[in-house]
Amino acid sequence: MTISRTLASAAAAVAATALLVLPGCSTDAGSSPAPTSSPVGLPATAPAVAPPEGPVTAAGTVIDASGDVEICLGIVMESYPPQCVGVPVDGWTWDQVDGSESSGEVRWGSYAARGTYDGERFTLTDPPTLLALYDPMPNEDPTRGVDGHTDDRELSLVQDEVVAWLGTDALTSWPERGYVWVQVVWDDGTLQDAVDAAYGEGVVIVTSAIQTVG
């Protein structure tokens, strides 16, 4: 009889303890911190970027195919004559430059040019300079020399997504120092803001081939 009473008392104590513990567990599970702001994903299409105001510079291979002149700011195909998908150039004349080559109706050379850019076309305002003689102003490092923290596998996935999203607007891209670097023709910060919203700051760095003249 004593044993039965002892067992009953122990069972009651366990049950009471369980009743005390269970509410505490329930409270802990429901008190997880509210989620903070997180990446929202890339928009369906890349946002439109306003063209730069005032003079700009561009440097690359200039190709004149039967009077249609363009400056190649990205990859130039290793053909003869060379080919690229470049930015159309207005106001170009070969009588003000040296260092060109020609084959058939195509003429080309590597130059730095100063002019204006309306978002689609580059208009020359000053005589171009041979690229070999051009001394550009150093660009400020947007990372300030601080390495990123994204691993190589994630960077590869992000790079593929961003390049597919930008399409032909992405001139070149590469992973370096913990970031995905993407060069476009021109960005005023609009594309940078979009990738920051999608992946968080310090993952993708957008740079412009066309530079404003300070």
Side-chain angles (χ1 to χ4, degrees):
M1 190 69 169
T2 302
I3 295 175
S4 298
R5 288 177 180 174
T6 300
L7 292 175
S9 299
V14 170
T17 302
L19 289 174
L20 291 174
V21 171
L22 287 175
C25 293
S26 175
T27 301
D28 290 343
S31 62
S32 57
T36 58
S37 59
S38 60
V40 297
L42 291 169
T45 58
V49 179
E53 298 181 0
V56 296
T57 60
T61 299
V62 174
I63 301 177
D64 179 354
S66 302
D68 292 328
V69 183
E70 58 186 352
I71 184 166
C72 309
L73 302 176
I75 295 173
V76 179
M77 295 179 223
E78 295 182 355
S79 57
Y80 193 86
Q83 303 175 65
C84 77
V85 177
V87 174
V89 178
D90 295 325
W92 186 274
T93 59
W94 290 103
D95 58 6
Q96 58 187 339
V97 295
D98 297 318
S100 66
E101 300 179 59
S102 61
S103 175
E105 297 183 346
V106 179
R107 191 172 181 179
W108 70 94
S110 297
Y111 304 94
R114 177 169 172 152
T116 59
Y117 178 63
D118 66 2
E120 295 183 359
R121 305 184 71 86
F122 185 96
T123 300
L124 197 70
T125 57
D126 295 80
T129 303
L130 275 170
L131 198 55
L133 303 177
Y134 180 54
D135 186 18
M137 293 291 292
N139 293 326
E140 182 180 350
D141 180 2
T143 71
R144 302 183 184 225
V146 179
D147 290 347
H149 302 290
T150 308
D151 62 53
D152 291 343
R153 180 178 177 278
E154 183 67 20
L155 287 178
S156 180
L157 294 174
V158 170
Q159 181 180 4
D160 290 344
E161 289 178 357
V162 173
V163 170
W165 177 64
L166 289 171
T168 56
D169 290 335
L171 299 175
T172 57
S173 67
W174 65 98
E176 183 180 348
R177 294 177 36 231
Y179 305 98
V180 171
W181 298 75
V182 181
Q183 187 176 59
V184 297
V185 173
W186 165 252
D187 182 35
D188 63 353
T190 301
L191 297 177
Q192 184 67 66
D193 289 344
V195 294
D196 284 350
Y199 302 107
E201 294 184 7
V203 177
V204 180
I205 306 297
V206 179
T207 64
S208 300
I210 288 179
Q211 296 289 316
T212 57
V213 178

